[in-house]
Amino acid sequence: VIPNRFFSAVNQQFKTPHLNIIFIMVIEIVLGSYANPDQLAELINYGAISGFIMLNLSVIWFGFKRINILHVGLKNAMSTVLRYLIFPVIGLVIMLSIFVNMKSITIIFGSLWGLTGVIYYRFRKNTGGCIE
């Protein structure tokens, strides 16, 4: 969903995405100059924790499709339940407890940022400008 012409431009001499590097440097300079390092760390944690929450949910969802005691036998079914249900649920509970205890401003800002990305993606997809 990112502009292909800008972000895929590669410097012929150094073979690096130079415009992308400059863009990220400008964002880092602005954020680093005006934001509190603790706030930035919280936002990074928001992204990481929400990613692990989605990962655990995906493993659980995948596991429900795999659990079929009649076809794999009891021993394999127990192993599947352990790998695709018990451990991911434990991880999900831990990640949710960390997530819920984040500062409310971090949860609000991170959620708004994620929602902005979803809206942007949907807009680009509906207008035919989505890179897939």
Side-chain angles (χ1 to χ4, degrees):
V1 296
I2 58 177
N4 198 20
R5 191 173 1 160
F6 181 81
F7 285 102
S8 67
V10 176
N11 184 301
Q12 295 302 318
Q13 182 181 358
F14 299 111
K15 307 289 187 229
T16 58
H18 59 285
L19 295 176
N20 196 8
I21 292 171
I22 293 169
F23 178 71
I24 297 299
M25 286 175 49
V26 169
I27 290 175
E28 289 175 352
I29 289 170
V30 170
L31 286 176
S33 299
Y34 295 108
N36 181 347
D38 292 336
Q39 291 171 331
L40 292 176
E42 283 267 337
L43 286 173
I44 291 168
N45 288 338
Y46 176 92
I49 298 299
S50 60
F52 282 121
I53 288 170
M54 288 185 267
L55 173 72
N56 283 307
L57 287 172
S58 299
V59 171
I60 293 167
W61 178 258
F62 179 73
F64 275 121
K65 292 182 176 184
R66 289 196 62 159
I67 297 173
N68 189 344
I69 295 173
L70 297 175
H71 289 109
V72 297
L74 186 60
K75 182 180 178 185
N76 287 338
M78 292 304 292
S79 173
T80 302
V81 167
L82 193 63
R83 286 187 297 167
Y84 294 103
L85 185 63
I86 304 296
F87 289 144
V89 166
I90 292 170
L92 182 64
V93 168
I94 292 170
M95 292 297 120
L96 284 173
S97 66
I98 294 170
F99 190 83
V100 173
N101 289 311
M102 288 181 152
K103 294 177 185 171
S104 58
I105 189 70
T106 303
I107 293 173
I108 292 168
F109 186 76
S111 299
L112 288 174
W113 185 257
L115 183 62
T116 303
V118 170
I119 291 170
Y120 178 74
Y121 172 76
R122 296 304 301 168
F123 174 74
R124 295 279 297 193
K125 187 174 183 179
N126 289 339
T127 59
C130 183
I131 302 168
E132 294 190 24

